Amino acid sequence: IPDAHGLKVASTIVSQINNKQGIAGVAPQAQVIPIKIGNGARNTPAETIAAFRLLLQEPSLSEVDVVNASLGLTPSGFMILWRDILKFFGDIHNKFQTDETKVIGNLVDQLNQRNIITVMASGNEGTRAEETNIYVDNVDAIFVGAVQLSGGVGSPQDIRRAIFGDVNDPDETEVASNWGDKVTIWAPGNDMAVMSIKEEGTSNGRAIPDLGADNKVQSLVLRPWLATSAATPFVSGVVALMKGIKEDL
């Protein structure tokens, strides 16, 4: 069954151009090899580890140049409390490290040694990335933040960190792109047009696609998308273009 989140990522990167359909991808000549992590709504470090190990061990994936990881994992309440205690006493970067993120960091290091670049979302909690994204301290990847236009016509003065939600509505929780020194680069991440799937409902936190049509293309719809998961494939697509010019980048 197609996953709406993964489809949106893929459509941002490889949607075809000049066909008068949908959108134009950042790197339409690239190829996407999807690897499913989690159930479409959530994931665990163990599932992420399994995916990165597959990238390293599966011979058919040896030609991969770029890894797009539009995912994140927020630490639990206990981990946040422990982090805050360590921050109070200092030396947080040496102590607040989970075994799982160290393993992921090691796997990404192995990808780097093969000239495979990993691009990851910085998260959408509206905080410094290192406060809520447990990967940024241990994983040598490109971490992406999301930006949006503030109402202007696109000059640098019109660009700001993307905020998702109505900040004027007191009942609406403000959610925004993470930020800080751990964010490597910023990319568009608010009201981005992507291809998605028609939905009949939800099950266990994920969308149920409407695949009743004989022509599966009829089950695709153009929809707006936001957050750092939307910004990350923009960077992955640009990296793919750059690797197409300089393979050993």
Side-chain angles (χ1 to χ4, degrees):
I1 297 177
D3 178 79
H5 189 273
L7 177 59
K8 292 171 184 175
V9 168
S11 74
T12 301
I13 301 173
V14 295
S15 287
Q16 296 303 293
I17 61 175
N18 299 325
N19 60 1
K20 298 182 179 180
Q21 296 183 30
I23 59 173
V26 179
Q29 302 301 320
Q31 293 181 319
V32 169
I33 303 174
I35 298 178
K36 185 175 176 58
I37 300 177
N39 70 349
R42 60 189 67 88
N43 67 87
T44 66
E47 291 166 328
T48 306
I49 288 170
F52 278 107
R53 281 181 172 157
L54 180 64
L55 280 168
L56 289 163
Q57 297 171 0
E58 174 57 46
S60 64
L61 300 178
S62 60
E63 299 300 317
V64 169
D65 293 306
V66 187
V67 176
N68 183 95
S70 287
L71 55 82
L73 190 72
T74 301
S76 66
F78 173 78
M79 292 172 70
I80 291 174
L81 174 61
W82 181 237
R83 179 206 65 209
D84 290 342
I85 292 172
L86 292 174
K87 184 184 293 185
F88 179 79
F89 288 104
D91 200 22
I92 179 174
H93 293 293
N94 292 330
K95 295 180 180 177
F96 183 63
Q97 297 179 340
T98 66
D99 290 339
E100 291 91 346
T101 55
K102 289 180 181 178
V103 172
I104 294 170
N106 178 265
L107 294 171
V108 171
D109 285 343
Q110 294 180 55
L111 291 173
N112 289 337
Q113 292 169 10
R114 299 185 185 183
N115 289 324
I116 300 173
I117 297 174
T118 302
V119 185
M120 300 186 78
S122 67
N124 308 307
E125 289 75 36
T127 65
R128 296 186 68 89
E130 61 267 29
E131 294 182 3
T132 51
N133 186 319
I134 66 173
Y135 296 126
V136 294
D137 280 330
N138 298 311
V139 180
D140 185 15
I142 297 173
F143 284 94
V144 183
V147 294
Q148 68 185 64
L149 292 178
S150 60
V153 293
S155 68
Q157 292 78 15
D158 295 322
I159 297 175
R160 70 175 186 183
R161 184 166 58 96
I163 298 175
F164 324 118
D166 185 359
V167 296
N168 297 314
D169 183 351
D171 296 325
E172 180 79 22
T173 301
E174 178 180 329
V175 181
S177 171
N178 286 346
W179 55 280
D181 295 339
K182 298 293 183 177
V183 176
T184 315
I185 195 170
W186 298 81
N190 199 44
D191 291 330
M192 310 310 301
V194 293
M195 299 306 296
S196 186
I197 52 177
K198 293 180 181 178
E199 299 169 5
E200 293 180 332
T202 59
S203 175
N204 194 26
R206 66 167 296 178
I208 301 174
D210 176 8
L211 298 179
D214 292 336
N215 182 356
K216 295 299 187 291
V217 175
Q218 294 178 9
S219 295
L220 299 180
V221 292
L222 195 62
R223 286 194 172 151
W225 197 31
L226 49 76
T228 54
S229 281
T232 300
F234 271 92
V235 176
S236 297
V238 172
V239 172
L241 293 173
M242 296 170 68
K243 295 276 283 185
I245 297 172
K246 185 175 174 57
E247 188 174 345
D248 60 349
L249 185 68

